[in-house]
Amino acid sequence: MPVEVIWDDDEKTIVRQIYSGVVTLEDYHSAIDDVATLVSSVDYIVHSIMDRTAITRTEGSFMKAMKYSDGKMPKNMGLRVIIKASRMTEVIANMGRYLAPDLINNIEFVDTLEEARNTIAKHNA
């Protein structure tokens, strides 16, 4: 399976998306639905870590995935941290601040899972 969505901590304050192999637009949509379900199951802010470390190739439009996600994310979604985003992903995400502002407002880019967790911890402090 190209995408696994799990709670990253026992407190259920961080949800992690783990991407691997070839990831299609349908895989992104499925992951977005799974994240929305988990985040909606609690009534406090939940942060997201998108781990793209093991992606070998993506198929489909990231812009379409962002637009889909913008309409699905619950109001209690907090900071979004992307691990190993390609330069193109960063550029598109920055453009997406205009297309999907609710989704892109709180986005950070890092290189490791440890950095992602530290970024969220600093954000919460």
Side-chain angles (χ1 to χ4, degrees), residues 22-123:
V22 177
V23 179
T24 66
L25 184 59
E26 291 76 22
D27 296 325
Y28 279 116
H29 287 184
S30 177
I32 291 162
D33 291 341
D34 291 348
V35 168
T37 297
L38 289 181
V39 173
S40 294
S41 72
V42 298
D43 62 356
Y44 47 82
I45 298 295
V46 176
H47 304 291
S48 169
I49 297 174
M50 180 188 287
D51 187 345
R52 297 175 48 92
T53 306
I55 289 180
T56 56
R57 187 176 79 238
T58 58
E59 296 177 354
S61 168
F62 186 69
M63 296 285 270
K64 287 182 182 178
M66 282 193 318
K67 193 68 172 168
Y68 182 83
S69 184
D70 190 51
K72 292 280 186 172
M73 282 301 108
K75 297 295 181 198
N76 61 323
M77 175 57 83
L79 186 64
R80 294 158 186 89
V81 183
I82 301 176
I83 302 170
K84 291 289 184 189
S86 68
R87 181 67 184 130
M88 180 60 79
T89 297
E90 289 185 34
V91 168
I92 291 171
N94 286 327
M95 288 174 24
R97 292 180 200 281
Y98 300 100
L99 296 173
D102 293 337
L103 176 70
I104 303 297
N105 268 347
N106 294 317
I107 193 166
E108 299 286 337
F109 300 102
V110 298
D111 291 322
T112 67
L113 181 56
E114 182 179 353
E115 284 180 87
R117 289 177 177 146
N118 288 338
T119 299
I120 290 170
K122 286 178 188 173
H123 178 81

